[in-house]
Amino acid sequence: MISSWPLLSVITFLPLTGVLFLMLIRGNEEAIAANSRLVALWVSGFTFVLSLYLYVGFDPEMMGYQFEERADWITGSGISYHLGIDGISMPFILLATFLTPLSILASWKSITHRVRDYMIAFLVLEVMMVGMFASLDMLMFYLFFEGVLIPMFIIIGVWGGAERVYAAFKFFLYTLLGSVLMLVCMLVMYQMAGTTDIPALAAFAFSPEIQFWLFLGFFASFAVKVPMWPVHTWLPDAHVQAPTAGSMILAGVLLKMGGYGFLRFSLPMFPDASEYFAPFIFVLSIVAVIYTSLVALAQSDMKKLIAYSSVAHMGFVTIGIFTLTEQGIAGAMFQMISHGLVSAALFFCVGVVYDRLHTREISAYGGVVDAMPRYAAFFMFMMLASVGLPGTSGFVGEMLVLVGAWEASHWVAILAATGLILGACYMLWLYRRVVFGRAEKPEILEMVALDRREVMIFVPLTILVLWFGIYPATLLDVMAYTVSDIMANVASDLSIQTVMR
Amino acid sequence: MEFSQITISAALPEFILISLALVMVLIAAFAKQSETDGEGSIKMVRTLSLLGYFAAFLALFSVPDGRVVLFNELFAVNDLVIYMKGLILVGAFFASWLVSEQWGEGVDRPEFHLLVLMAVIGMLLMVSANNLISLYMALELQSLPLYVVAAMRTSSLKSSEAGLKYFLLGALSSGLLLYGASLVYGSSGSTNFDAIASSLSGGASVGMIVGMVFLLSGLAFKISAAPFHMWTPDVYEGAPTPVTALFAIVPKVAGMTLLMNVTYSAFGNITDQWMQILIALSVASMIVGATGAIMQQNIKRMLAYSSIAHMGYALAGLAAGTPEGASAVVIYMTTYVFMGAAAFGVIMTMRREGTPVEKISDLAGLSASHPLLAAAMMVVMFSMAGIPPLAGFFGKWYVFLAAVNAGLIPLAVIGVLTSVIGAFYYLRIIRLMYFEDSDAPLDDGASHQNRLVLIVSVGFILLFFFGIGALSQEASSIVSVYF
């Protein structure tokens, strides 16, 4: 029965019904706030439950796209309403629908003014995120990809910290600047191929000269989103200023849009250019891994430190993707999902103590373990996952990326591995300064232990991180076929080109 | 001259409005004896003009299909012209609808609605002009009432300055246009667009090209394309707000259609000659519009620059010189009318203690005091910035698509880059409304009439992606008259 529904459309647009409900709520301010939270949580929770069916009904051994939907949109123009998922988009959809209710829960108490608007923004954001991963039409992809900016701009700008206006503008304009260059490339591709259908474009052979330019245009957009060094500077500002839940979604899902874009567009559509630019991307990624790790070491603001660590971790993702090996791509995918969970949890860790002490300065803390032992345990687990401890999901992704990188170039693998060491340095040091030591300040000892709501957020994240670490096949099997499909296409394109030369 | 059935039905919208104008002249002349009567006549004239626009809009459906040539080939009506006339009438309806009976600012006179009506007649004639003489006459019929309404707030120095500036520069541009027309006539031996087009089948003489440049400059002034945009910010700022709303919504549509008519039909054989001019105008407008608006403090002035930028984008589609380009212009102008109506629907609601305010900073904290109004303005601003999935994005998509298809990739790149600069000042408005607080909130709520415009136009912007398929098909079918 459920299989006959247009399930992807339902999942994508279901949060809009929540928006509608939210707009209809009447009453005094408190009642509106309380009901808004509940409506948003229920709607996003229900969306998550529905999206689980995507996992259950997904056949990992099937080639091509599943749950496909196609409808007429702009007749006769090659632009249609086309949704579908494969092994690389399905995990991201689940990640987005999973993190949205958690982040709504995370802002349960910390957001007190304009709760209704906040929840509307989050639900709209969910629509945009899921829609983007589910789109199989380039124009639709762009609509959702850019549409994300609207709610995120509002979330950072209205509920952010002291410098929120600057951060929101920087986030918006930086990302927009990258995206419009991609837009021009999309127009060129549409003109050449006569369609915006992603599967058709992936099958279309763009000449190597054109690929060169198209790749750069898409790169401008995705590199900003990932973000890659040196266009990462919007990220620390946006993260530090965004409210906790905003950071969770930003790091958890929005950063993955760049990596997903590389896998969905750059590799299948511009294989020659991808090969050509791979060394260039390795250089940028290694700089990102090492340089931002060093920068993270120097931070005195917890959120900023984790933000820089995100840049470093995403450096691994770009290395993995452009090794053009199966291990590398699978590792990059795994790393993205893992980072989505771990960084969301880490930002929530910061949010938890921020709610209590209202500062993000590392030096203001110390000895938190005395007051909040359970928090210290969760934080430690997530910190170790971020460092890449075996048994956590962080290890699997980094390991696979390094294996792929070793195949591509020994030097890349060696240099990237130094990033792992630096990562351990700044994370362990952060943990020591915040959690251990003697609790000298009286306000630290007065910190309230984790309440049930906060535990409810940590537990599912912890379980998943642990599960993926112990049994990574859950995730790897889902995407194995798609990854090898992408690789096979890239390899055959490249070999054809070599023969022709 | 013969008045056949076809002639009458093809010119029915104009006939309706002209007869209405005659009636309104009488009302305005005789019903101004006392204060109370004055108010009554304003109400009557306003209602009549609204009904007139509505009736003229309905009359558009009686216009026969295909190309109809009227009055010794002075005018030509085709599907594109009918569509653009519909757009003009919708815009005029919005602009008049937004003016309440007691607006103030010197527009509380029956003459205001009368003059606007005359200008609208001028615009309708403009878009169907098929001859340099009828073009000039229609253009002047449009411009002269607009000069007057721009200066209507007699108590304000700025308004008088706006009117005078508009008049002087407008007269200069009319002179340029007339001079160009005479050169074109001298080279081709005819003032008829079809005859000019056929005389150009073997290429253009120097006189013809010089004449065309003058002609296009005159028209560029009317749509306020840079570098002929100097009057726009001052007139937008100085004119009474209802007049600014009118300027922002309607005449650009007529001007753009006329420009399209002249380039695609009269000069359709020398595309490569005017393409460069339009590209230059487009690039200049996009840059001037995007950079000029950044520092503005007055929202009307900011929207003036914004409209310059919008004309730049529309011109980028026109410059392509292809069917896609023409239909992109049609789509762009459609979204433009609704965005303009929505923006002024909000601006004309901005009042503090009863008096209209127009500083951008007056919008501060709007989202707290007027959530729905602020949401409407936010949608309009994101749409004008070209952020998907709103209407403004699709306008830009089609324009840049046409430019790319015509091989004008650098133009598209400049276009998207200036749209990022433009996004900055649209975001500034959203920042004020949402991120900042105000100690002096605006007066309560929008009036019912403003609300209607807002619901229609914001709904249009939000739900545009449902209709884009139908609209793009319609647009590409109506522009086929040129190709």
Side-chain angles (χ1 to χ4, degrees), chain B residues 292-308:
Chain B
I294 293 176
M295 295 307 289
Q296 300 308 325
Q297 301 303 325
N298 182 301
I299 191 154
K300 283 153 75 180
R301 216 178 161 81
M302 191 210 95
L303 282 175
Y305 281 103
S306 148
S307 84
I308 295 171

Side-chain angles (χ1 to χ4, degrees), chain A residues 76-387:
Chain A
S77 62
I79 302 172
S80 59
Y81 177 87
H82 190 186
L83 295 181
I85 51 170
D86 62 1
I88 58 170
S89 52
M90 193 272 277
F92 286 121
I93 292 180
L94 284 181
L95 183 69
T97 56
F98 174 66
L99 284 180
T100 306
L102 287 188
S103 41
I104 285 170
L105 209 55
S107 33
W108 207 257
K109 285 189 180 147
S110 50
I111 302 296
T112 49
H113 78 294
R114 292 207 192 163
V115 180
R116 184 215 312 246
D117 299 358
Y118 181 84
M119 295 302 167
I120 290 179
F122 255 86
L123 291 179
V124 172
L125 185 62
E126 183 174 19
V127 172
M128 298 296 175
M129 293 187 303
V130 175
M132 194 217 69
F133 289 122
S135 296
L136 284 185
D137 183 274
M138 193 166 61
L139 179 58
M140 281 179 64
F141 171 86
Y142 188 79
L143 295 190
F144 289 119
F145 188 84
E146 284 283 278
V148 163
L149 296 182
I150 298 177
M152 206 60 208
F153 176 74
I154 300 289
I155 288 171
I156 297 176
V158 178
W159 296 276
E163 298 283 312
R164 59 186 195 274
V165 174
Y166 173 74
F169 269 70
K170 196 168 178 181
F171 163 74
F172 195 101
L173 293 176
Y174 232 106
T175 333
L176 185 65
L177 184 62
S179 303
V180 293
L181 295 175
M182 174 169 82
L183 179 67
V184 175
C185 292
M186 285 183 167
L187 291 169
V188 172
M189 287 164 73
Y190 176 39
Q191 187 225 349
M192 296 178 103
T195 176
T196 54
D197 201 49
I198 288 175
L201 286 169
F204 188 88
F206 293 100
S207 75
E209 294 78 40
I210 295 290
Q211 277 188 30
F212 179 88
W213 291 106
L214 295 179
F215 183 91
L216 285 180
F218 277 77
F219 179 75
S221 175
F222 297 146
V224 171
K225 264 267 150 59
V226 163
M228 294 176 71
W229 183 86
V231 286
H232 66 283
T233 57
W234 63 270
L235 182 88
D237 288 312
H239 267 311
V240 170
Q241 299 306 326
T244 304
S247 299
M248 285 168 71
I249 289 289
L250 193 58
V253 186
L254 297 200
L255 299 193
K256 279 59 195 182
M257 290 161 60
Y260 173 74
F262 280 130
L263 289 173
R264 180 62 84 218
F265 291 92
S266 304
L267 253 49
M269 296 177 196
F270 326 124
D272 298 289
S274 297
E275 198 203 15
Y276 179 82
F277 281 110
F280 166 67
I281 289 180
F282 287 151
V283 171
L284 292 188
S285 307
I286 287 169
V287 172
V289 168
I290 295 175
Y291 167 77
T292 51
S293 297
L294 291 172
V295 174
L297 267 176
Q299 295 308 313
S300 58
D301 180 309
M302 292 162 80
K303 248 186 164 178
K304 223 169 192 164
L305 190 150
I306 296 173
Y308 277 111
S309 88
S310 283
V311 181
H313 282 121
M314 293 308 283
F316 273 95
V317 171
T318 43
I319 290 177
I321 291 173
F322 284 92
T323 55
L324 303 180
T325 59
E326 273 187 42
Q327 294 93 329
I329 294 173
M333 273 296 296
F334 205 96
Q335 170 84 343
M336 280 197 272
I337 299 293
S338 157
H339 178 257
L341 301 169
V342 172
S343 66
L346 284 174
F347 277 115
F348 183 62
C349 285
V350 179
V352 165
V353 287
Y354 180 79
D355 283 348
R356 287 165 172 72
L357 232 56
H358 300 287
T359 174
R360 290 182 302 260
E361 284 299 310
I362 298 173
S363 54
Y365 292 90
V368 175
V369 68
D370 293 344
M372 307 171 73
R374 268 197 298 180
Y375 167 78
F378 281 125
F379 191 1
M380 175 158 79
F381 180 75
M382 288 304 167
M383 180 270 295
L384 290 173
S386 167
V387 168

Side-chain angles (χ1 to χ4, degrees), chain A residues 73-75 114 139 142-143 146-147 150 153-154 157-158 164-165 169 172-173 176-177 180 184 187-188 190-191, chain B residues 367-368 378 382 387-388 393 397-398 400-401 405 416-417 420 423-424 427 431 434-435 465 468-469 472-473:
Chain A
W73 184 24
I74 304 177
T75 317
R114 292 207 192 163
L139 179 58
Y142 188 79
L143 295 190
E146 284 283 278
I150 298 177
F153 176 74
I154 300 289
V158 178
R164 59 186 195 274
V165 174
F169 269 70
F172 195 101
L173 293 176
L176 185 65
L177 184 62
V180 293
V184 175
L187 291 169
V188 172
Y190 176 39
Q191 187 225 349
Chain B
S367 68
M378 174 176 75
F382 275 128
I387 306 297
F393 166 74
W397 164 269
Y398 278 101
F400 295 139
L401 181 64
N405 282 358
V416 295
L417 291 181
V420 176
F424 174 76
L427 289 184
R431 182 196 86 187
Y434 277 85
F435 304 173
F465 56 87
I468 179 62
S472 70
Q473 267 181 328

